[in-house]
Amino acid sequence: MDHRILGKTGLRVSALSLGASSLGGGVFRAVDESEAIRTVHAAIELGINFIDVSPFYGLTRAETVLGKALRTVPRDQYYIATKVGRYGDNEFDFSAQRVTASVDESLSRLGLDYIDLIQSHDNEYGDLNQIVNETIPALRKLQVAGKARFVGVTGYPLRMLETLVDRTEVDTILSYDHYSLNDTSLLSLLPVLKEKNVGVISASPLSQGLLTNRGTPAWHGASDDIKQACSKAAAWCREKNADITKLAVQFSVRNPEIATTLVGTASGTNIRNNVSWLEEPIDEELLDGVLEILNPIADKTWIVGRPENN
Ligand code: NAD
């Protein structure tokens, strides 16, 4: 497993990391807790050292299951990133009081006394003035108190992430669905992130199911033309006895400007496959064919959160 430096944090993170959103069940499918715990252990044994979670995932269950898994793992073997601000599909609270309490709740569920990276979650649903003037300063206070080592922001619209990087000091950004076979628009933000030495975390190399043979969950925001193009590309790979999931993981992880790519799964088989695929060279011919099929919808996005933040 390659390791890369996460911007100004200086953390040496695995090029592929574990997104824990599925661990609590309900995000993509029902999940068996002991399987989820084994998946976390398998990921760490395979060289993954960065795990991303949130109180929102499984409505706190993902943090709780992750905490159970980490109980038997030495603290110096992994970095934990969690989040504040989002607590349900339509439940957001970016106030200083709530985010401060939220970190204590996360620490207790995770069974830890500090978090490596605390992130303000899905800021496009909030008032960016509040994020800049209240949320980030509250997270910096928690950093001074030793409860979190670094501070970051996450969300979907790149314009929102760019605004926050411009208006406030953050150590990392987490972008999702913007560096995968169907959408590489994160590339447009890399020069400014590099200039400010902001660590780049890119989530969802499988475009949250678009680039798998199983397809997308009901909550997925992509329009029908995107879904159809991705399923056509997946079928074309199957005809060639190939798996679009493998190509998608290899493609997203190979850009060295992106410190780490978060893939989500609660399955030991999936995480083992994802890591082993990185040892193999990418099939350039297959890649060209898939990019051609996806070209009509390349970089096509959708609105998430408040329209003014998109
Ligand atoms: P993803 O693109 O990683 O896709 C996850 C889906 O792919 C799941 O259905 C999973 O079962 C499946 N999958 C994974 N490996 C597979 C394999 N080898 N074969 C077949 N299917 C496989 O999307 P994601 O899980 O939403 O994103 C990854 C992580 O990034 C999340 O868990 C979360 O930690 C983070 N994330 C954060 C934000 C945010 O902060 N706003 C948003 C999205 C994702």
Side-chain angles (χ1 to χ4, degrees), residues 26 51 65 76 78 96 114 117 133 138 142 145 218 225 230 238 243 256 266 296:
I51 305 174
V65 173
D76 60 359
Y78 58 85
Y114 70 92
L117 176 64
N133 297 323
L142 293 170
D225 56 340
C230 290
R238 285 196 299 276
D243 184 351

Side-chain angles (χ1 to χ4, degrees), residues 16-207:
L16 184 71
S17 294
L18 181 66
S21 64
S22 328
L23 290 190
V27 179
F28 291 95
R29 63 181 174 102
V31 166
D32 174 297
E33 184 172 301
S34 56
E35 187 194 356
I37 290 174
R38 282 197 301 276
T39 303
V40 174
H41 293 163
I44 293 171
E45 278 157 25
L46 290 162
I48 287 177
N49 73 351
F50 185 79
I51 305 174
D52 175 77
V53 69
S54 162
F56 169 50
Y57 301 150
L59 305 177
T60 71
R61 285 194 307 274
E63 281 191 339
T64 302
V65 173
L66 184 57
K68 285 187 190 172
L70 294 176
R71 222 168 275 164
T72 54
V73 184
R75 184 65 180 92
D76 60 359
Q77 287 191 14
Y78 58 85
Y79 299 122
I80 282 287
T82 191
K83 313 197 181 87
V84 295
R86 181 165 203 176
Y87 304 101
D89 283 339
N90 295 306
E91 207 184 314
F92 296 88
D93 188 342
F94 294 97
S95 67
Q97 192 185 14
R98 181 71 190 98
V99 304
T100 302
S102 180
V103 168
D104 283 332
E105 292 161 16
S106 291
L107 285 171
S108 150
R109 283 189 289 268
L110 290 164
L112 301 177
D113 50 18
Y114 70 92
I115 287 156
D116 296 284
L117 176 64
I118 190 70
Q119 306 163 103
S120 183
H121 194 176
D122 288 349
N123 300 282
E124 62 270 29
Y125 289 90
D127 168 358
L128 298 192
N129 289 323
Q130 184 186 29
I131 308 294
V132 168
N133 297 323
E134 185 175 344
T135 317
I136 300 295
L139 298 181
R140 289 293 180 199
K141 278 191 190 157
L142 293 170
Q143 181 182 29
V144 172
K147 293 185 182 183
R149 295 174 68 196
F150 301 102
V151 173
V153 288
T154 87
Y156 181 77
L158 292 173
R159 202 167 78 96
M160 175 279 292
L161 292 173
E162 189 168 9
T163 302
L164 289 180
V165 165
D166 187 45
R167 290 187 54 194
T168 185
E169 174 86 18
V170 291
D171 303 317
T172 62
I173 61 106
L174 185 163
S175 149
Y176 68 96
D177 283 348
H178 291 313
Y179 196 79
S180 55
L181 293 170
N182 58 300
D183 180 347
T184 56
S185 50
L186 178 59
L187 288 172
S188 66
L189 209 58
L190 293 183
V192 67
L193 298 173
K194 192 171 184 175
E195 189 199 311
K196 293 179 185 267
N197 201 17
V198 171
V200 185
I201 303 165
S202 173
S204 315
L206 307 176
S207 296

